[in-house]
């Protein structure tokens, strides 16, 4: 009887995690390549090679303005636009 209870709890947890990942609550990390820039309001953004712009969150990249970088992090979308919560950054030497 106890074994069934554990199996049901594990199954319920798997279903919840699956639903959260489908709805985007659990976001996968992505890698973006582009240039670090400062926009008109003074915010640091990544101007990606694909033409999109992402506001930088999670790390201070102000010392890298003008440099080509590869950033890894989770993407966020809000009324203000797209953002990336940066977990890793690497300067691309040309």
């Amino acid at each position: 009887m106890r074994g069934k209870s554990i199996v049901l709890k594990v199954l319920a947890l798997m279903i919840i995690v699956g639903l959260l990942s489908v709805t985007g609550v659990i976001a996968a990390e992505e890698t973006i390549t582009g240039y670090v820039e400062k926009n008109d309001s003074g915010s640091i953004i990544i101007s990606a090679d694909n033409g999109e712009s992402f506001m930088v969150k999670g790390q201070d990249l102000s010392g890298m303005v003008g440099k080509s970088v590869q950033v890894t992090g989770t993407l966020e979308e809000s009324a203000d636009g797209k953002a990336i919560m940066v977990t890793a950054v690497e300067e691309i030497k040309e």
Side-chain angles (χ1 to χ4, degrees):
M1 194 65 113
R2 182 175 169 99
K4 274 188 175 180
S5 176
I6 291 173
V7 169
L8 288 175
K9 287 178 183 176
V10 169
L11 184 58
L13 180 61
M14 289 172 59
I15 290 170
I16 291 170
V17 169
L19 289 173
L20 290 175
S21 62
V22 167
T23 58
V25 174
I26 298 176
E29 285 197 332
E30 302 217 17
T31 300
I32 297 171
T33 303
Y35 287 89
V36 179
E37 297 179 352
K38 188 180 282 193
N39 67 12
D40 294 337
S41 64
S43 298
I44 302 299
I45 61 169
I46 301 293
S47 289
D49 292 345
N50 66 3
E52 295 183 284
S53 294
F54 299 86
M55 185 167 300
V56 174
K57 294 183 175 182
Q59 289 195 23
D60 180 11
L61 301 185
S62 59
M64 299 185 84
V65 170
K67 298 186 184 223
S68 179
V69 294
Q70 184 174 50
V71 295
T72 301
T74 52
L75 299 181
E76 302 174 359
E77 206 161 335
S78 69
D80 297 333
K82 295 181 179 183
I84 184 165
M85 179 64 75
V86 177
T87 56
V89 60
E90 180 180 337
E91 182 178 351
I92 298 174
K93 303 287 185 183
E94 296 181 22

